[in-house]
Amino acid sequence: MPNHEQIYAEQAARYEAMISKQPDLLEVVNSICSVQGLDVVDMGAGTGRLTKLLAPDAKSIAALDASGAMLQLTAASLRQSGLVNWSVHTADHRTLPLEDNCADLIVSGWSICYLCATTHEEWRNNLAAVMNEIERILRPGGTVIIFETMGTGCETPSPPSFLVPYYEALQTEYGFQHRWRRMDYTFGSVEEAEGMTRFFFGDELADAVARRGESVVAECAGVWWKTLE
């Protein structure tokens, strides 16, 4: 499998090009919690997929990520937009460099999973630390929304086995509600689809995409959300 940490550090622009082929999530976020006028934190902002989407309606938005290279692209896009209500911070999800009770809405897309896969012996402790930080910075009545994969190359949910316990814990231990939606990648050609899937998802999926002649690669995404009392 490709080394995602290396990709985020060295090929952020190519990663941004890949995720730009998916539909945006503004409608999904607003259906759970209207962004208008809120102080927002984007945990695992990456190249700004959610940050750039939410910033125009937010009172303020802080983009956090472990990869400084990814955040450089986020900051460049936000500067180009002319918005001034944003900040970027290099951060670990378990120790957020933010004050208590500073956020009305927290979003996190395809990020917490890297700490909470069962391949990590400490995944439960990692999840507890992340949840503690979310509760620390979120104001009473605030909402957290988490997006994670439910299967790439899958038309119906088929999450990776190493993420299933994490997903179950969100619902049974931490009280999150859950639904899923399609987030298919729509590429310009079969060749682009093969190249991008090989770049990020590996040879098995890329070979299947090429064999089937697909320019649209199915993706299922899970949405988990919770509002604090």
Side-chain angles (χ1 to χ4, degrees):
M1 282 293 292
N3 183 326
H4 287 177
E5 185 174 346
Q6 185 177 18
I7 287 170
Y8 297 150
E10 299 175 4
Q11 300 187 69
R14 191 176 185 191
Y15 171 79
E16 166 69 11
M18 181 188 75
I19 63 171
S20 72
K21 304 302 183 180
Q22 292 183 283
D24 75 50
L25 290 160
L26 184 59
E27 181 183 350
V28 176
V29 173
N30 277 324
S31 72
I32 296 169
C33 177
S34 174
V35 178
Q36 192 69 46
L38 299 187
D39 291 316
V40 181
V41 172
D42 185 359
M43 294 173 56
T47 56
R49 176 206 298 243
L50 293 173
T51 309
K52 292 180 289 187
L53 200 64
L54 305 182
D57 293 328
K59 177 182 178 183
S60 71
I61 190 161
L64 283 61
D65 201 275
S67 170
M70 302 273 274
L71 289 177
Q72 286 179 9
L73 292 185
T74 300
S77 295
L78 291 167
R79 285 192 199 99
Q80 189 172 17
S81 75
L83 294 169
V84 296
N85 63 337
W86 57 273
S87 60
V88 298
H89 311 264
T90 304
D92 185 301
H93 290 335
R94 296 163 292 188
T95 53
L96 302 177
L98 300 173
E99 297 178 355
D100 296 355
N101 302 315
C102 66
D104 303 302
L105 172 65
I106 297 171
V107 294
S108 182
W110 297 271
S111 180
I112 297 173
C113 58
Y114 287 106
L115 290 171
C116 296
T118 57
T119 49
H120 286 285
E121 187 175 326
E122 294 294 311
W123 77 268
R124 286 191 180 276
N125 291 336
N126 287 342
L127 180 56
V130 173
M131 290 297 126
N132 284 340
E133 283 293 87
I134 286 172
E135 292 189 7
R136 179 182 67 79
I137 69 170
L138 201 58
R139 293 173 182 141
T143 299
V144 53
I145 305 172
I146 297 171
F147 298 95
E148 301 283 15
T149 185
M150 292 290 281
T152 306
C154 304
E155 296 188 354
T156 56
S158 181
S161 60
F162 54 83
L163 293 177
V164 169
Y166 155 47
Y167 296 165
E168 291 176 346
L170 287 176
Q171 294 166 241
T172 61
E173 297 178 33
Y174 293 98
F176 280 75
Q177 299 182 71
H178 168 63
R179 66 175 185 253
W180 71 277
R181 60 164 290 148
R182 289 285 289 271
M183 285 288 293
D184 297 359
Y185 295 87
T186 303
F187 297 106
S189 65
V190 176
E191 291 74 21
E192 183 185 28
E194 178 188 357
M196 283 296 192
T197 53
R198 196 174 305 280
F199 154 70
F200 194 76
F201 298 106
D203 292 339
E204 183 177 355
L205 178 59
D207 290 345
V209 166
R211 185 171 61 251
R212 295 193 293 258
E214 296 175 338
S215 61
V216 176
V217 179
E219 170 79 23
C220 295
V223 187
W224 289 263
W225 72 97
K226 176 182 178 181
T227 298
L228 291 192
E229 298 292 333

